[in-house]
Amino acid sequence: AGVFAASSTNASGIAEEGAGSADFEWVRVTYGAGTQVDVAVLKPEDYSDSGSHPLILALPWGGGTPDLALGMVDAYWSREASRRGYVVVAPAILGSSLATESDEFLPALFSWLDEHISYDPERVVVAGASNGGIGVFHAVTSDPARFAAAIGMPGGYSGSPEALEPFAGKPVWLMVGEMDRRWQERTATTAETLEAAGITPRINLIRGQGHVLRVDPRMLMDWLDEALAGS
């Protein structure tokens, strides 16, 4: 077990502010031909064996290193999500690698979670930033029934609308920085593809920000609470 510390970094390598006392533990998940991934698991303040906890699968920025996985959780999910009863799971994995790895990685990860973590399988969301935001859509197309909602902050998808159609009707939130021109284009293209698949995403341009977004965790959790209320 561990405690999120001020040395956690975000995608720009910037140290985040102190993360308080959110307890987490690292576990190791093995999939495929012996590939191992370290996964940070954060249990909520009111954790119990009731099976009622919603779960956030948080995919990190950049190269998906352990420090970046913790940095993303620290920036968005370590306090408010815990306070609201969510389990947060952050694998140290390269989001874009899920294009070929998700069909093996996701079953292995959720097999471990099913055995060791109390959570509500009907209220699982996948969220990611940048490379992790690309991984969000690889996860959704690999196992659309697994996830009740998705967040890309920013995120991108370049595949066919048909692969996303099984996710139609579920909430998706895309956000991108006002100064992040390249990802604005990717977000717009992704939105068009989602709409062609029968998905109407919420899209927010975050004023005055670049690629690494600073977003109020309460706003994220308000949206998730509402999105998952109907699942």
Side-chain angles (χ1 to χ4, degrees), residues 73-94:
V73 174
D74 190 12
Y76 306 120
W77 310 114
S78 65
R79 301 170 189 80
E80 192 67 16
S82 178
R83 188 181 70 79
R84 300 195 193 194
Y86 285 67
V87 172
V88 180
V89 179
I93 197 166
L94 183 67

Side-chain angles (χ1 to χ4, degrees), residues 106 138-149 163-168 170:
L106 290 177
H138 293 317
V140 163
T141 54
S142 173
D143 194 355
R146 175 82 64 183
F147 302 105
L164 284 169
E165 286 177 354
F167 206 68
K170 295 182 180 181

Side-chain angles (χ1 to χ4, degrees), residues 120-139:
D120 182 354
E122 300 300 317
R123 294 190 294 160
V124 177
V125 60
V126 58
S130 190
N131 214 334
I134 293 172
V136 162
F137 292 101
H138 293 317

Side-chain angles (χ1 to χ4, degrees), residues 175-181 184 204-206 209-211 213:
M175 60 189 82
V176 64
E178 180 183 22
M179 297 179 288
D180 192 2
R181 303 296 185 190
Q184 282 183 40
N204 283 103
L205 183 69
I206 309 299
Q209 295 199 32
H211 187 57
L213 299 175

Side-chain angles (χ1 to χ4, degrees), residues 9-30:
T9 57
N10 63 25
S12 298
I14 300 171
E16 298 291 334
E17 296 178 0
S21 57
D23 290 330
F24 73 98
E25 63 175 327
W26 284 109
V27 301
R28 185 160 289 170
V29 172
T30 302

